Short mmCIF file of all heavy atoms in Angstrom, two decimals:
data_model
loop_
_atom_site.label_atom_id
_atom_site.label_comp_id
_atom_site.label_asym_id
_atom_site.label_seq_id
_atom_site.Cartn_x
_atom_site.Cartn_y
_atom_site.Cartn_z
N GLY A 250 -7.50 0.07 34.14
CA GLY A 250 -7.58 0.71 35.44
C GLY A 250 -7.83 -0.29 36.55
O GLY A 250 -8.20 -1.45 36.34
N THR A 251 -7.65 0.19 37.78
CA THR A 251 -7.84 -0.69 38.94
C THR A 251 -9.30 -0.97 39.22
O THR A 251 -9.61 -1.92 39.96
CB THR A 251 -7.20 -0.03 40.17
OG1 THR A 251 -7.77 1.28 40.37
CG2 THR A 251 -5.69 0.10 39.98
N ASP A 252 -10.21 -0.16 38.69
CA ASP A 252 -11.63 -0.38 38.95
C ASP A 252 -12.28 -1.38 37.99
O ASP A 252 -13.48 -1.62 38.07
CB ASP A 252 -12.38 0.95 38.87
CG ASP A 252 -12.15 1.65 37.54
OD1 ASP A 252 -11.20 1.25 36.82
OD2 ASP A 252 -12.91 2.59 37.22
N ALA A 253 -11.52 -1.95 37.08
CA ALA A 253 -12.08 -2.89 36.12
C ALA A 253 -12.30 -4.24 36.79
O ALA A 253 -11.62 -4.61 37.76
CB ALA A 253 -11.15 -3.05 34.92
N ASP A 254 -13.25 -4.97 36.29
CA ASP A 254 -13.59 -6.29 36.80
C ASP A 254 -12.53 -7.29 36.37
O ASP A 254 -12.27 -7.45 35.17
CB ASP A 254 -14.97 -6.70 36.29
CG ASP A 254 -15.45 -7.99 36.94
OD1 ASP A 254 -14.73 -8.53 37.80
OD2 ASP A 254 -16.56 -8.47 36.59
N PRO A 255 -11.87 -7.99 37.32
CA PRO A 255 -10.85 -8.98 36.92
C PRO A 255 -11.40 -10.09 36.02
O PRO A 255 -10.68 -10.60 35.15
CB PRO A 255 -10.36 -9.54 38.26
CG PRO A 255 -10.69 -8.49 39.26
CD PRO A 255 -11.96 -7.85 38.78
N THR A 256 -12.66 -10.45 36.23
CA THR A 256 -13.24 -11.50 35.38
C THR A 256 -13.33 -11.05 33.93
O THR A 256 -13.01 -11.81 32.99
CB THR A 256 -14.63 -11.89 35.90
OG1 THR A 256 -14.52 -12.29 37.27
CG2 THR A 256 -15.20 -13.03 35.07
N GLN A 257 -13.75 -9.82 33.71
CA GLN A 257 -13.82 -9.28 32.35
C GLN A 257 -12.43 -9.13 31.74
O GLN A 257 -12.24 -9.37 30.54
CB GLN A 257 -14.56 -7.96 32.35
CG GLN A 257 -16.03 -8.07 32.73
CD GLN A 257 -16.72 -6.72 32.76
OE1 GLN A 257 -16.06 -5.68 32.85
NE2 GLN A 257 -18.05 -6.73 32.70
N ILE A 258 -11.45 -8.76 32.57
CA ILE A 258 -10.09 -8.63 32.06
C ILE A 258 -9.57 -9.99 31.60
O ILE A 258 -8.97 -10.12 30.52
CB ILE A 258 -9.17 -8.03 33.15
CG1 ILE A 258 -9.60 -6.60 33.47
CG2 ILE A 258 -7.72 -8.05 32.69
CD1 ILE A 258 -8.81 -5.97 34.61
N ASP A 259 -9.80 -11.01 32.43
CA ASP A 259 -9.36 -12.36 32.04
C ASP A 259 -10.07 -12.84 30.78
O ASP A 259 -9.47 -13.56 29.96
CB ASP A 259 -9.61 -13.33 33.20
CG ASP A 259 -8.74 -13.02 34.41
OD1 ASP A 259 -7.70 -12.35 34.24
OD2 ASP A 259 -9.12 -13.43 35.53
N ALA A 260 -11.33 -12.46 30.62
CA ALA A 260 -12.06 -12.87 29.43
C ALA A 260 -11.47 -12.23 28.18
O ALA A 260 -11.32 -12.89 27.13
CB ALA A 260 -13.54 -12.50 29.57
N VAL A 261 -11.11 -10.95 28.26
CA VAL A 261 -10.50 -10.29 27.11
C VAL A 261 -9.12 -10.86 26.83
O VAL A 261 -8.73 -11.05 25.66
CB VAL A 261 -10.43 -8.77 27.35
CG1 VAL A 261 -9.70 -8.07 26.21
CG2 VAL A 261 -11.84 -8.18 27.48
N VAL A 262 -8.36 -11.17 27.86
CA VAL A 262 -7.04 -11.79 27.66
C VAL A 262 -7.18 -13.15 27.00
O VAL A 262 -6.40 -13.51 26.09
CB VAL A 262 -6.31 -11.88 29.01
CG1 VAL A 262 -5.05 -12.75 28.88
CG2 VAL A 262 -5.93 -10.50 29.51
N ALA A 263 -8.16 -13.93 27.46
CA ALA A 263 -8.40 -15.23 26.82
C ALA A 263 -8.78 -15.06 25.36
O ALA A 263 -8.37 -15.86 24.50
CB ALA A 263 -9.48 -15.99 27.58
N LEU A 264 -9.56 -14.02 25.06
CA LEU A 264 -9.92 -13.75 23.67
C LEU A 264 -8.70 -13.37 22.84
O LEU A 264 -8.56 -13.81 21.69
CB LEU A 264 -10.97 -12.62 23.62
CG LEU A 264 -11.46 -12.21 22.24
CD1 LEU A 264 -12.15 -13.37 21.54
CD2 LEU A 264 -12.41 -11.02 22.35
N LEU A 265 -7.80 -12.59 23.43
CA LEU A 265 -6.58 -12.23 22.73
C LEU A 265 -5.74 -13.47 22.41
O LEU A 265 -5.24 -13.63 21.27
CB LEU A 265 -5.77 -11.26 23.58
CG LEU A 265 -6.15 -9.78 23.53
CD1 LEU A 265 -5.34 -9.00 24.55
CD2 LEU A 265 -5.94 -9.23 22.15
N ARG A 266 -5.57 -14.32 23.39
CA ARG A 266 -4.76 -15.51 23.17
C ARG A 266 -5.40 -16.46 22.16
O ARG A 266 -4.72 -17.02 21.29
CB ARG A 266 -4.54 -16.21 24.50
CG ARG A 266 -3.61 -15.44 25.44
CD ARG A 266 -3.51 -16.09 26.80
NE ARG A 266 -2.55 -15.37 27.65
CZ ARG A 266 -2.40 -15.60 28.95
NH1 ARG A 266 -3.13 -16.55 29.55
NH2 ARG A 266 -1.50 -14.91 29.65
N ALA A 267 -6.71 -16.63 22.26
CA ALA A 267 -7.38 -17.53 21.33
C ALA A 267 -7.30 -17.00 19.90
O ALA A 267 -7.05 -17.76 18.96
CB ALA A 267 -8.84 -17.70 21.74
N SER A 268 -7.50 -15.69 19.74
CA SER A 268 -7.43 -15.12 18.39
C SER A 268 -6.02 -15.23 17.81
O SER A 268 -5.84 -15.50 16.61
CB SER A 268 -7.87 -13.66 18.43
OG SER A 268 -7.01 -12.89 19.27
N ALA A 269 -4.99 -15.07 18.65
CA ALA A 269 -3.61 -15.19 18.17
C ALA A 269 -3.31 -16.62 17.75
O ALA A 269 -2.67 -16.86 16.71
CB ALA A 269 -2.64 -14.73 19.25
N VAL A 270 -3.76 -17.60 18.55
CA VAL A 270 -3.50 -19.00 18.21
C VAL A 270 -4.24 -19.40 16.94
O VAL A 270 -3.68 -20.06 16.05
CB VAL A 270 -3.88 -19.91 19.39
CG1 VAL A 270 -3.81 -21.37 18.99
CG2 VAL A 270 -2.97 -19.63 20.58
N VAL A 271 -5.52 -19.00 16.85
CA VAL A 271 -6.29 -19.34 15.65
C VAL A 271 -5.69 -18.70 14.41
O VAL A 271 -5.58 -19.32 13.34
CB VAL A 271 -7.76 -18.92 15.84
CG1 VAL A 271 -8.54 -19.06 14.53
CG2 VAL A 271 -8.42 -19.76 16.92
N SER A 272 -5.28 -17.44 14.53
CA SER A 272 -4.66 -16.76 13.39
C SER A 272 -3.36 -17.44 12.98
O SER A 272 -3.07 -17.58 11.78
CB SER A 272 -4.40 -15.29 13.75
OG SER A 272 -3.75 -14.62 12.70
N ALA A 273 -2.56 -17.88 13.96
CA ALA A 273 -1.31 -18.55 13.63
C ALA A 273 -1.56 -19.89 12.95
O ALA A 273 -0.89 -20.24 11.97
CB ALA A 273 -0.49 -18.75 14.91
N VAL A 274 -2.54 -20.64 13.45
CA VAL A 274 -2.85 -21.94 12.84
C VAL A 274 -3.34 -21.75 11.40
O VAL A 274 -2.92 -22.47 10.48
CB VAL A 274 -3.89 -22.70 13.68
CG1 VAL A 274 -4.38 -23.94 12.95
CG2 VAL A 274 -3.29 -23.08 15.03
N LEU A 275 -4.22 -20.79 11.19
CA LEU A 275 -4.71 -20.54 9.84
C LEU A 275 -3.59 -20.08 8.91
O LEU A 275 -3.55 -20.46 7.73
CB LEU A 275 -5.83 -19.50 9.88
CG LEU A 275 -7.14 -19.93 10.56
CD1 LEU A 275 -8.14 -18.77 10.56
CD2 LEU A 275 -7.73 -21.14 9.88
N SER A 276 -2.68 -19.28 9.43
CA SER A 276 -1.55 -18.82 8.60
C SER A 276 -0.65 -19.98 8.21
O SER A 276 -0.19 -20.07 7.07
CB SER A 276 -0.76 -17.75 9.35
OG SER A 276 -1.56 -16.61 9.61
N VAL A 277 -0.40 -20.90 9.16
CA VAL A 277 0.45 -22.05 8.85
C VAL A 277 -0.23 -22.95 7.81
O VAL A 277 0.41 -23.42 6.86
CB VAL A 277 0.76 -22.83 10.14
CG1 VAL A 277 1.46 -24.16 9.81
CG2 VAL A 277 1.65 -22.01 11.06
N LEU A 278 -1.52 -23.19 7.99
CA LEU A 278 -2.24 -24.01 7.02
C LEU A 278 -2.25 -23.36 5.63
O LEU A 278 -2.09 -24.05 4.61
CB LEU A 278 -3.67 -24.26 7.49
CG LEU A 278 -3.82 -25.12 8.75
CD1 LEU A 278 -5.29 -25.24 9.14
CD2 LEU A 278 -3.21 -26.49 8.55
N ALA A 279 -2.44 -22.04 5.60
CA ALA A 279 -2.41 -21.33 4.32
C ALA A 279 -1.03 -21.42 3.68
O ALA A 279 -0.90 -21.60 2.46
CB ALA A 279 -2.80 -19.88 4.53
N GLY A 280 0.03 -21.33 4.50
CA GLY A 280 1.38 -21.45 3.95
C GLY A 280 1.64 -22.83 3.37
O GLY A 280 2.22 -22.97 2.29
N LEU A 281 1.20 -23.88 4.07
CA LEU A 281 1.37 -25.23 3.55
C LEU A 281 0.57 -25.44 2.26
O LEU A 281 1.04 -26.11 1.33
CB LEU A 281 0.95 -26.25 4.61
CG LEU A 281 1.80 -26.28 5.89
CD1 LEU A 281 1.22 -27.29 6.87
CD2 LEU A 281 3.25 -26.61 5.57
N LEU A 282 -0.62 -24.86 2.22
CA LEU A 282 -1.42 -24.97 1.00
C LEU A 282 -0.74 -24.29 -0.17
O LEU A 282 -0.70 -24.83 -1.30
CB LEU A 282 -2.80 -24.37 1.24
CG LEU A 282 -3.75 -24.33 0.03
CD1 LEU A 282 -4.04 -25.73 -0.48
CD2 LEU A 282 -5.05 -23.61 0.40
N LEU A 283 -0.17 -23.13 0.06
CA LEU A 283 0.52 -22.42 -1.02
C LEU A 283 1.76 -23.17 -1.49
O LEU A 283 2.06 -23.20 -2.69
CB LEU A 283 0.90 -21.01 -0.54
CG LEU A 283 -0.26 -20.06 -0.25
CD1 LEU A 283 0.25 -18.72 0.25
CD2 LEU A 283 -1.13 -19.87 -1.47
N VAL A 284 2.47 -23.80 -0.57
CA VAL A 284 3.62 -24.61 -0.96
C VAL A 284 3.19 -25.79 -1.82
O VAL A 284 3.82 -26.12 -2.85
CB VAL A 284 4.39 -25.09 0.29
CG1 VAL A 284 5.46 -26.11 -0.09
CG2 VAL A 284 5.04 -23.92 1.00
N GLY A 285 2.09 -26.45 -1.42
CA GLY A 285 1.58 -27.55 -2.23
C GLY A 285 1.16 -27.11 -3.62
O GLY A 285 1.43 -27.81 -4.61
N LEU A 286 0.52 -25.96 -3.72
CA LEU A 286 0.13 -25.45 -5.04
C LEU A 286 1.35 -25.10 -5.89
O LEU A 286 1.37 -25.35 -7.10
CB LEU A 286 -0.76 -24.22 -4.87
CG LEU A 286 -2.15 -24.46 -4.26
CD1 LEU A 286 -2.88 -23.14 -4.07
CD2 LEU A 286 -2.96 -25.41 -5.13
N ALA A 287 2.37 -24.52 -5.26
CA ALA A 287 3.59 -24.19 -6.01
C ALA A 287 4.25 -25.45 -6.55
O ALA A 287 4.70 -25.49 -7.70
CB ALA A 287 4.55 -23.41 -5.12
N LEU A 288 4.30 -26.50 -5.74
CA LEU A 288 4.89 -27.76 -6.21
C LEU A 288 4.04 -28.39 -7.31
O LEU A 288 4.57 -28.96 -8.27
CB LEU A 288 5.03 -28.74 -5.04
CG LEU A 288 6.03 -28.33 -3.94
CD1 LEU A 288 6.02 -29.35 -2.82
CD2 LEU A 288 7.43 -28.17 -4.51
N GLY A 289 2.73 -28.28 -7.19
CA GLY A 289 1.86 -28.80 -8.24
C GLY A 289 2.02 -28.07 -9.56
O GLY A 289 2.01 -28.68 -10.63
N LEU A 290 2.19 -26.77 -9.50
CA LEU A 290 2.43 -26.01 -10.73
C LEU A 290 3.77 -26.38 -11.35
O LEU A 290 3.89 -26.51 -12.58
CB LEU A 290 2.40 -24.51 -10.43
CG LEU A 290 1.05 -23.92 -10.00
CD1 LEU A 290 1.21 -22.44 -9.69
CD2 LEU A 290 -0.01 -24.13 -11.06
N ALA A 291 4.78 -26.55 -10.51
CA ALA A 291 6.09 -26.92 -11.04
C ALA A 291 6.08 -28.31 -11.65
O ALA A 291 6.84 -28.59 -12.58
CB ALA A 291 7.15 -26.85 -9.93
N ALA A 292 5.20 -29.19 -11.14
CA ALA A 292 5.10 -30.54 -11.68
C ALA A 292 4.16 -30.64 -12.88
O ALA A 292 3.89 -31.73 -13.35
CB ALA A 292 4.62 -31.50 -10.58
N ARG A 293 3.62 -29.50 -13.32
CA ARG A 293 2.77 -29.44 -14.51
C ARG A 293 1.48 -30.25 -14.34
O ARG A 293 1.14 -31.10 -15.15
CB ARG A 293 3.54 -29.92 -15.74
CG ARG A 293 2.86 -29.61 -17.07
CD ARG A 293 3.85 -29.80 -18.18
NE ARG A 293 3.13 -29.85 -19.45
CZ ARG A 293 3.16 -30.90 -20.26
NH1 ARG A 293 3.84 -31.96 -19.93
NH2 ARG A 293 2.50 -30.87 -21.40
N ARG A 294 0.78 -29.96 -13.25
CA ARG A 294 -0.49 -30.61 -12.98
C ARG A 294 -1.63 -29.62 -13.25
O ARG A 294 -1.72 -28.60 -12.57
CB ARG A 294 -0.55 -31.11 -11.55
CG ARG A 294 0.50 -32.17 -11.23
CD ARG A 294 0.46 -32.58 -9.79
NE ARG A 294 1.48 -33.59 -9.49
CZ ARG A 294 1.75 -34.04 -8.28
NH1 ARG A 294 1.08 -33.56 -7.24
NH2 ARG A 294 2.68 -34.95 -8.10
#
Side-chain angles (χ1 to χ4, degrees):
T251 56
D252 55 345
D254 187 2
T256 304
Q257 294 179 341
I258 295 176
D259 293 339
V261 175
V262 169
L264 180 62
L265 277 174
R266 290 175 177 170
S268 61
V270 172
V271 171
S272 177
V274 171
L275 293 178
S276 297
V277 171
L278 293 178
L281 295 177
L282 176 61
L283 294 178
V284 171
L286 292 176
L288 294 177
L290 294 178
R293 193 165 165 240
R294 298 177 180 173

